[in-house]
Amino acid sequence: MEVNPLSIILVKSDSKGDRLLFRYPFYFLEKSEPANTKRRNPYTLPNLEDLLQSPTQPLSNINKGHLTGFTDEVLSSLFAVKSELCNKKFELKVNDVRFVGHPTLLQLRNKQQDASGLMLINVVFALQALASHSVVTCYHDLSKRIGIALRYEEKRCGYISEQTQTMTTAHDDGFVNNPDAAFQIILNKCTLASNIKKMYDDLCTSGIVNVQINKWITVSFCLPQKVHQWHLRGKIVEPKDIDRCLKALRPYHSLLLLHPMQQMGDFTNLDGSPSLERMLKQYSPIKNLQTLAADADLTLNHVFELTAHLVYWAKATVIFPICLTNKYVISPDAPIHLNSPLIDKFSESFPASNLIRVISDFALPTSLGQKCNPLCHPAQQSHLVQTIIWMLQHHLLLQLHTYIQYIPTDHGLAASRERDLRHRSLQRSVVLSSSYQPSASEHSRAESESGASTVSETPELRSELDLLNRSINLESVSFTSMEDEKQDYQEELLLDFPDEERGNIFKIPATNTPEDLRLFATLCRKGYFHGDHHIEEIMYLENLRRSQLLQLLDKFRDVLITYETEDPAIAMFSYS
Amino acid sequence: MAKMGYSCHNTDPNSDPNNQEGPIRCIFFCEFHPTAGPIISCQEPEQYISKELFDSISVYIITKAELQRSTITVTLSDYKILGFPVRIDDKKYPRNAYHFNLCLVCDSNVRTVHYEPVVMKLSDYLMATEIESSFLSDGGAATKLAPILKQVIQELNTKGECALTEGPTATHLKVVHIRSDPSPVADHQVPVFIKQLPNQQWDLTTQQVAPYIDGFNHVARIALLSDVENNLVKACVQNLVYYGVVALVPLFQYGNVYCTTPLLKALAHDVNLQNKCLKYVAVSQRQLPNFRDVFRMFAAMTRGTTIRDLCLRFNPSNLRVNERKLVQFGVLEGLIRRVHKYPILLSESADLQKSLSGAANLDEICCATGVTAQQLEDQLERDHNVVLLWK
C-alpha cells in the first residue's frame, strides 16, 4: 500500500548538534543484519580503472516495506535542516523514498530566550516515492500539527526538554552494546516515543490517528486516501474528490451513515461538536439534509459542513433519499462473487436472505415502488428498505436518474445558440447557488419528495391553483380572436428562441396548450434541459410534481431527449 | 486498415497541476572546493539559485558518503532541485577526492521523476571526461561547462533530447516520459487504432498483426488470422496500448447491452465532438447522419436494451448510421459503457461453481470455452440455480 508510512523519524537539533532521537519501526534493521555480514575486505585496493563499471549502490531504499540503507547519522544530518528551512514544508526524495516533515523551531523552557535556547524538532514521515502529491500534503499536515502541539507543550511544562533528555541519555547509555536496544528503552520510557509508535500503527491499519501528546493535547488526523479503504477497497479516495462531491451537495441529498449509530458515540465523544450530536440524534437515511437541518434546528449550511466532516472521515456517504421512485442498479464493480465476504456479512444482518438473490433483482433498473405492491405487508416493506440501505452502505447499488437534453433541430442546437451556451452555463451556476437558500415552500416540497414522510398535500394543491390562476389570467387578458391570440402568445413565449428552433417547436401539437408551452419555455430558459439537472432536481427547484414533468417530457419528446445515468456528484463513492 | 481516422484527445487522467510535467528552469554544476566548501561553479541561466539559498540546501547536494550516487530531490517552496552526487577518489586531488553534482531545477509543483535518468547519465558523462582529461578540475570549468549546460537545457526543453558530441566522449540524453503500465490484454478484447500507426520499422509481430486490427476482430481471432501465437499477439497489443496507438474495447455483438454515462452530456454541448462523432459513425462520408438521431440512439442505451433491440427500433441504416461504429465511438469516448453479465451458480456443484462464481463475465466464459454467447445464455436461462447479475 503506497500510502502507508515506511517509517517515522524524530530528529532534534540544538546547540549541541543534531541527533536522531527515535525512529519507528526500528526492529527491522536488526533482523536483516545477518544478510549484510559479508563485509568488505579492508585490505583490498580501490580499483580506479573500474570506476565507471563499479557496482552502483542499490537504487532502492525500501526492503519489504521498511526503510533501509540509511544510517541514523545520515538521517539526522538530512533532517536537521538549516534555519532558513524551518517552519516550512520539508520534502526530500532520495531514490525511491520520499521524506516529508515540518521542521519546527521551539524555545526551550529552561534555557535563555535567545538562539542558544532554540531547538529544532522534526517529525519526518518516510513514504514511498510513488505516493501521490495529495498524500504527501496530508502527511505534511500531520507533521505540522504534531510540531505545534509539541511547541505548546514545551512552553507549558517543558515536555520536549524532558523527553529529549531521556532519549539522549538512553542513547548514550545503550550505545556501546546495541543502538536498537536503546530504541526499545526509549519506547518503554518516553511517552513521545509511544505516541509515535501508536501513530505508525494507526496509519498502517485504519488511517485515523488519535493520540494524546503528553496526555494533554489531542492530535487527531485522518488520512482520506487510507481511511476510505475499509469501505471502498482498492479505490484511492483523494481529498479533491471529496471536495468535488461536497461542492455538489444539494439540500435534497441525504446522509447515509456507514456505521451503526452506537459506534458513532466514539467519534463524537469528549470535545465533539454538540451540533454534530444533535444532528445524529435526528438522523435517518430517508430524510434529506434540509429536513435534517429543520429537525435538528441547525442552519442548512451547518448541516452541509457536518456532512462534509462525516464524509471526509469516512463515517458517512451521500445518497439521494430513499423513496419509492428511486431506481437502482448494481454498481459496475460491485465485488459480488461466491467467495465474497460480503455474502456472509449480509446473512448476519438478514438471516433469512441471500445477498445474491436479493441483489439480482436489481439487474435491471428497479425502483422500490416496483418491488412492493399495495398488498405488501409493512414489515416486508421495511425489510426491503433495510436491505437497500445495507447495499447502499456497501456501495453495491447505484441510483439512476433521468437527465434531459434539449435538441431542437436535427443538428443539435441552432447555430446562434452554440455561441452563448457557455455564457448561459455561467449564469446557470449563479442561479443554482442562489437557489440554495431554503424557503418554506421548498422545505415542505422536499419533505414530500423523500417519499417516506407522509405526503403533504398543501404545496401541490397550491401549485395547481397557481397554474390555474395563471391560465385564467392569461385567458382573461384577451378574448378577441382565438387564432390571433394563439399566435400571439406563442410568439411572445418563445420570443428569445432562435427562429429555427421555434419553427421546430411549433410543429409539436402540445404547443397549442398554453400551460404546456409556458412550462416548457420557462424550464428551457432556466437551462434545466442541458443534461445538468435530473428530474428530481427540477422537481425540487421548480416545485413541480413528477407526473407534471413526465407528461411534459412526453409531449415534447421530439425536442427533449431523456437518458438515464448516475448522478456524477455522488457516484464517486461507488466502485467505478 | 490502420486508417481509422480516429483520434481521441489523449488527456492525462491526472489533470491535477501537481502531477504535470514542466520545463527545466535552470541547470547548475556544483563542486566541493578544497577551501571554500560546496560552491556553484557554473549556472545556466546565471544567478537563478542565489548563494543564500544554495547554502541552506548544500547538505542535500554535496552529501555524505552514504548518499553518493543516489538521486536526491529537494522540494522547496519555489523550486524543486534534482541532483545525483558523485565522487571520484584519486590522490591527485587536494583532499584525495573530487565531489561534484550536476543539478536540474524545476518549478516546485511539477513532476521531476522523468529527469532522473538524464541527470544520472549526464553525471556519468562528466565523470568520464574528468577521469580522462581532468576536464572539470583543472580550472576554468565554468567557461568550458557553460556552453554545454546551455545546450542541454535548451534542447531538453524544446526537443526532449540532446546529443553532446564535443569533448573527448559523446553522449546522448533523452527525456523518457513515464506512463503507467498497461493492463494485461484478454482474449475477448478488441483492439482499435486511435492514431495512425507511426511509420517506422516495427518488429515482425507488429507488422504481421497490425493489418488485422480493424476494430472488430478480437485478440484470439487476430491470432488465428495472422497465424501468430496468441501470447505474442497479446504482448504486441499491450505494447501498442502503452504507446497510445491502440485502445481496447469490448467485443461487439448484437446481444450486447450498453448504458449511458454522465459524459454523454458532453456530446450535446461540444460541437467538435459532435462533428467527429458524425463522421465516425456515418455509413458513408458523403451523407452524414442527423445529430439528433445519433444522440437519440445513445440515449436509448439502457440496461436491458440490446443492440438488436435498438436496431429494430431505430433501423440505423435508414438513419445512415453504422451501429458498430456508433458503439465503438461511444465506448472510446466514454459516452457509454458495456454492461456485462456475471452468472453465479447458487447450487452446490464444485466444478461449475468455479467458472460460474460471479468473478467472470459471459464474454470471458465464452472465449475460454468456445461456446457462442447465445448458446450459453440460453443454457443459463433454463437453469434456475443460476443468477445473472448485470453490472
Side-chain angles (χ1 to χ4, degrees):
Chain A
M1 197 61 221
E2 62 194 41
V3 300
N4 288 357
L6 299 168
S7 175
I8 306 180
I9 300 147
L10 175 71
V11 168
K12 67 112 196 184
S13 166
D14 57 6
S15 51
K16 290 179 201 138
D18 55 76
R19 185 147 210 185
L20 184 142
L21 292 175
F22 186 68
R23 65 181 151 78
Y24 192 85
F26 52 81
Y27 43 81
F28 182 75
L29 286 178
E30 188 181 35
K31 279 184 209 153
S32 71
E33 209 98 66
N36 299 337
T37 44
K38 220 176 85 180
R39 295 179 62 190
R40 232 179 45 189
N41 185 347
Y43 302 106
T44 46
L45 285 169
N47 189 350
L48 281 180
E49 297 300 309
D50 215 18
L51 200 72
L52 275 179
Q53 277 72 41
S54 64
T56 48
Q57 271 197 349
L59 281 172
S60 172
N61 291 106
I62 301 171
N63 186 0
K64 294 179 193 134
H66 292 275
L67 187 65
T68 163
F70 298 110
T71 61
D72 290 353
E73 290 74 36
V74 168
L75 290 177
S76 88
S77 74
L78 287 179
F79 304 147
V81 299
K82 297 267 168 61
S83 55
E84 292 90 339
L85 301 181
C86 282
N87 301 327
K88 274 186 203 165
K89 181 178 176 186
F90 168 80
E91 189 184 336
L92 178 74
K93 176 175 165 290
V94 179
N95 295 330
D96 56 352
V97 181
R98 195 183 294 275
F99 299 99
V100 60
H102 190 87
T104 309
L105 263 187
L106 40 89
Q107 178 71 50
L108 292 179
R109 197 163 184 256
N110 309 323
K111 294 279 177 67
Q112 298 136 309
Q113 303 288 307
D114 62 6
S116 67
L118 284 177
M119 181 190 265
L120 173 94
I121 281 283
N122 198 356
V123 178
V124 180
F125 295 91
L127 309 172
Q128 296 188 27
L130 290 170
S132 72
H133 190 269
S134 67
V135 175
V136 174
T137 315
C138 288
Y139 273 105
H140 167 239
D141 189 40
L142 176 56
S143 177
K144 191 173 171 181
R145 286 184 202 196
I146 299 166
I148 292 170
L150 292 180
R151 187 193 294 167
Y152 179 81
E153 277 304 284
E154 175 61 26
K155 200 176 169 196
R156 190 177 71 90
C157 59
Y159 178 61
I160 288 299
S161 313
E162 176 225 319
Q163 292 283 308
T164 51
Q165 188 55 46
T166 324
M167 290 182 185
T168 323
T169 318
H171 277 295
D172 291 343
D173 293 349
F175 199 77
V176 264
N177 36 37
N178 186 1
D180 284 337
F183 285 133
Q184 189 58 51
I185 293 167
I186 291 173
L187 184 57
N188 296 339
K189 275 190 183 169
C190 295
T191 51
L192 184 56
S194 51
N195 279 339
I196 287 176
K197 176 183 187 298
K198 182 165 187 297
M199 243 179 336
Y200 177 84
D201 294 340
D202 283 351
L203 285 168
C204 288
T205 49
S206 64
I208 289 186
V209 172
N210 198 357
V211 291
Q212 296 247 312
I213 304 269
N214 198 19
K215 296 183 186 144
W216 188 254
I217 296 179
T218 307
V219 173
S220 53
F221 168 82
C222 155
L223 187 67
Q225 293 89 346
K226 174 85 184 175
V227 73
H228 288 272
Q229 287 293 317
W230 78 265
H231 64 109
L232 284 170
R233 188 155 296 283
K235 191 181 167 187
I236 301 271
V237 175
E238 297 283 349
K240 71 172 169 24
D241 295 335
I242 303 176
D243 287 348
R244 203 172 49 229
C245 167
L246 297 175
K247 277 204 192 93
L249 215 55
R250 296 280 178 272
Y252 56 77
H253 282 138
S254 110
L255 189 67
L256 176 66
L257 291 184
L258 298 173
H259 294 276
M261 194 57 98
Q262 300 87 294
Q263 286 178 27
M264 295 302 295
D266 304 339
F267 185 61
T268 53
N269 64 357
L270 284 176
D271 49 354
S273 151
S275 52
L276 183 62
E277 246 172 274
R278 218 156 78 200
M279 183 177 88
L280 289 178
K281 268 196 197 109
Q282 297 297 329
Y283 159 79
S284 153
I286 49 181
K287 277 182 194 171
N288 64 24
L289 293 177
Q290 196 162 47
T291 319
L292 194 59
D295 291 353
D297 197 19
L298 297 167
T299 64
L300 186 60
N301 266 336
H302 192 54
V303 168
F304 278 5
E305 284 159 11
L306 292 172
T307 307
H309 181 68
L310 289 173
V311 169
Y312 189 89
W313 285 73
K315 301 292 177 199
T317 183
V318 177
I319 55 166
F320 190 83
I322 296 164
C323 64
L324 287 176
T325 47
N326 283 2
K327 269 189 185 174
Y328 294 105
V329 289
I330 307 174
S331 79
D333 290 326
I336 299 178
H337 45 85
L338 284 178
N339 306 322
S340 163
L342 286 175
I343 293 178
D344 291 334
K345 207 176 161 193
F346 185 80
S347 344
E348 276 169 30
S349 313
F350 306 99
S353 327
N354 179 341
L355 175 60
I356 295 175
R357 287 274 182 216
V358 173
I359 204 168
S360 69
D361 291 343
F362 295 95
L364 295 180
T366 308
S367 70
L368 206 55
Q370 275 166 296
K371 288 211 56 174
C372 36
N373 51 42
L375 300 174
C376 208
H377 194 267
Q380 246 173 318
Q381 191 175 339
S382 94
H383 178 259
L384 186 65
V385 172
Q386 290 303 320
T387 56
I388 288 181
I389 290 177
W390 191 93
M391 288 188 283
L392 285 172
Q393 279 172 333
H394 292 81
H395 309 282
L396 302 178
L397 292 184
L398 199 67
Q399 186 179 356
L400 291 185
H401 292 277
T402 303
Y403 289 84
I404 307 147
Q405 183 61 51
Y406 168 64
I407 301 189
T409 67
D410 280 347
H411 50 268
L413 293 172
S416 58
R417 269 299 174 93
E418 299 288 357
R419 263 176 270 125
D420 53 57
L421 200 67
R422 188 172 294 274
H423 177 64
R424 283 177 68 96
S425 68
L426 261 175
Q427 275 184 333
R428 205 181 318 135
S429 62
V430 175
V431 169
L432 252 183
S433 55
S434 63
S435 65
Y436 256 14
Q437 301 311 319
S439 67
S441 70
E442 270 180 359
H443 171 219
S444 47
R445 168 79 239 157
E447 197 167 29
S448 65
E449 255 332 290
S450 70
S453 50
T454 47
V455 178
S456 55
E457 293 291 326
T458 34
E460 291 184 5
L461 273 179
R462 204 196 48 206
S463 70
E464 263 176 313
L465 276 176
D466 271 3
L467 215 68
L468 210 66
N469 281 339
R470 249 184 272 160
S471 56
I472 289 169
N473 286 343
L474 198 85
E475 277 165 56
S476 62
V477 169
S478 55
F479 248 104
T480 44
S481 115
M482 278 305 277
E483 277 307 295
D484 264 8
E485 198 265 338
K486 181 191 155 191
Q487 282 300 321
D488 276 352
Y489 85 77
Q490 281 189 342
E491 292 295 323
E492 179 202 334
L493 278 172
L494 299 181
L495 212 53
D496 52 341
F497 284 59
D499 291 341
E500 204 184 350
E501 291 184 11
R502 218 178 315 162
N504 272 319
I505 294 169
F506 286 143
K507 283 182 198 150
I508 299 167
T511 44
N512 294 338
T513 341
E515 301 95 282
D516 287 340
L517 186 61
R518 185 179 287 273
L519 185 62
F520 169 78
T522 323
L523 294 182
C524 206
R525 256 185 226 118
K526 288 192 177 174
Y528 287 130
F529 298 150
H530 289 292
D532 293 319
H533 306 268
H534 47 71
I535 286 188
E536 287 78 14
E537 183 164 12
I538 302 173
M539 284 159 51
Y540 173 80
L541 292 174
E542 289 301 307
N543 203 9
L544 290 170
R545 273 176 304 158
R546 182 178 294 272
S547 56
Q548 251 176 314
L549 199 54
L550 290 181
Q551 270 173 23
L552 184 83
L553 292 180
D554 189 49
K555 283 175 188 160
F556 287 88
R557 63 180 178 274
D558 288 344
V559 292
L560 296 179
I561 299 176
T562 60
Y563 59 94
E564 284 182 339
T565 190
E566 63 264 24
D567 183 353
I570 55 175
M572 60 148 288
F573 286 113
S574 63
Y575 290 97
S576 59
Chain B
M1 284 293 176
K3 48 179 193 296
M4 298 293 285
Y6 185 92
S7 74
C8 89
H9 5 244
N10 222 337
T11 44
D12 191 40
N14 304 319
S15 50
D16 182 7
N18 292 315
N19 281 329
Q20 277 168 7
E21 293 172 356
I24 304 167
R25 296 289 178 200
C26 166
I27 181 165
F28 67 83
F29 175 81
C30 89
E31 58 187 323
F32 188 84
H33 193 272
T35 48
I39 49 162
I40 298 185
S41 27
C42 182
Q43 189 170 174
E44 175 62 39
E46 275 176 43
Q47 296 303 318
Y48 194 83
I49 298 292
S50 67
K51 176 93 175 58
E52 295 73 38
L53 181 68
F54 177 73
D55 284 344
S56 66
I57 54 163
S58 63
V59 62
Y60 310 113
I61 291 171
I62 300 295
T63 61
K64 296 205 169 194
E66 286 94 333
L67 295 174
Q68 300 288 332
R69 302 194 66 81
S70 305
T71 52
I72 297 183
T73 314
V74 199
T75 309
L76 303 170
S77 46
D78 310 318
Y79 311 113
K80 214 168 187 177
I81 300 173
L82 165 67
F84 186 69
V86 284
R87 180 185 62 176
I88 302 171
D89 290 309
D90 199 327
K91 286 273 161 27
K92 71 180 180 189
Y93 299 117
R95 292 194 176 197
N96 291 335
Y98 181 64
H99 296 255
F100 71 87
N101 191 351
L102 187 110
C103 299
L104 299 187
V105 184
C106 294
D107 292 338
S108 65
N109 58 353
V110 299
R111 295 178 57 174
T112 54
V113 194
H114 53 291
Y115 289 125
E116 280 178 8
V118 173
V119 170
M120 286 163 77
K121 198 168 175 188
L122 197 52
S123 292
D124 281 340
Y125 169 72
L126 291 178
M127 201 156 148
T129 57
E130 167 64 21
I131 289 169
E132 273 190 21
S133 59
S134 299
F135 179 72
L136 302 166
S137 60
D138 65 351
T143 45
K144 279 183 283 182
L145 263 177
I148 296 182
L149 296 190
K150 195 165 197 158
Q151 185 194 353
V152 169
I153 190 171
Q154 270 179 358
E155 295 193 5
L156 285 187
N157 277 345
T158 49
K159 291 188 285 185
E161 53 188 43
C162 173
L164 296 173
T165 48
E166 287 157 47
T169 47
T171 197
H172 297 267
L173 304 173
K174 187 171 167 66
V175 183
V176 179
H177 296 275
I178 298 170
R179 301 166 204 243
S180 49
D181 293 344
S183 46
V185 178
D187 271 333
H188 63 276
Q189 285 176 313
V190 177
V192 191
F193 278 113
I194 51 176
K195 260 194 223 168
Q196 195 115 26
L197 190 65
N199 215 351
Q200 65 180 62
Q201 194 69 41
W202 286 94
D203 59 290
L204 290 174
T205 318
T206 311
Q207 283 182 31
Q208 205 164 346
V209 163
Y212 298 99
I213 299 182
D214 61 353
F216 304 114
N217 291 333
H218 60 270
V219 170
R221 193 174 155 80
I222 291 174
L224 194 76
L225 290 173
S226 60
D227 196 20
V228 176
E229 211 266 319
N230 192 309
N231 285 323
L232 287 177
V233 175
K234 281 182 189 168
C236 161
V237 169
Q238 199 175 13
N239 181 46
L240 293 174
V241 170
Y242 179 82
Y243 286 108
V245 181
V246 150
L248 293 170
V249 295
L251 185 62
F252 179 87
Q253 285 167 315
Y254 282 94
N256 281 3
V257 174
Y258 297 84
C259 69
T260 50
T261 71
L263 287 180
L264 185 59
K265 193 178 85 179
L267 184 63
H269 294 241
D270 186 345
V271 184
N272 295 332
L273 188 64
Q274 286 174 14
N275 292 338
K276 199 160 85 175
C277 172
L278 293 184
K279 280 204 191 100
Y280 195 83
V281 305
V283 171
S284 119
Q285 291 299 320
R286 268 175 297 167
Q287 232 184 345
L288 295 181
N290 271 342
F291 174 68
R292 185 150 57 170
D293 297 331
V294 171
F295 192 88
R296 218 182 271 278
M297 281 190 77
F298 275 131
M301 293 182 188
T302 54
R303 290 166 179 81
T305 314
T306 61
I307 298 298
R308 195 184 301 114
D309 300 337
L310 276 186
C311 290
L312 289 176
R313 200 189 307 169
F314 288 97
N315 195 0
S317 56
N318 253 6
L319 304 176
R320 303 185 292 272
V321 170
N322 180 342
E323 66 275 6
R324 289 179 151 213
K325 294 278 206 95
L326 181 84
V327 167
Q328 207 170 75
F329 183 86
V331 171
L332 284 173
E333 286 290 344
L335 310 175
I336 55 171
R337 183 173 67 70
R338 173 87 191 272
V339 179
H340 285 286
K341 284 175 226 165
Y342 291 82
I344 300 185
L345 186 71
L346 288 177
S347 67
E348 294 298 319
S349 160
D351 51 331
L352 258 181
Q353 267 191 348
K354 230 173 245 167
S355 52
L356 303 183
S357 72
N361 59 35
L362 278 186
D363 274 8
E364 286 164 329
I365 297 171
C366 286
C367 224
T369 54
V371 187
T372 67
Q374 196 59 50
Q375 276 179 329
L376 185 63
E377 220 167 313
D378 289 347
Q379 187 107 30
L380 295 177
E381 294 274 293
R382 261 179 271 138
D383 192 340
H384 291 291
N385 286 321
V386 176
V387 173
L388 273 183
L389 298 186
W390 303 47
K391 56 184 182 184

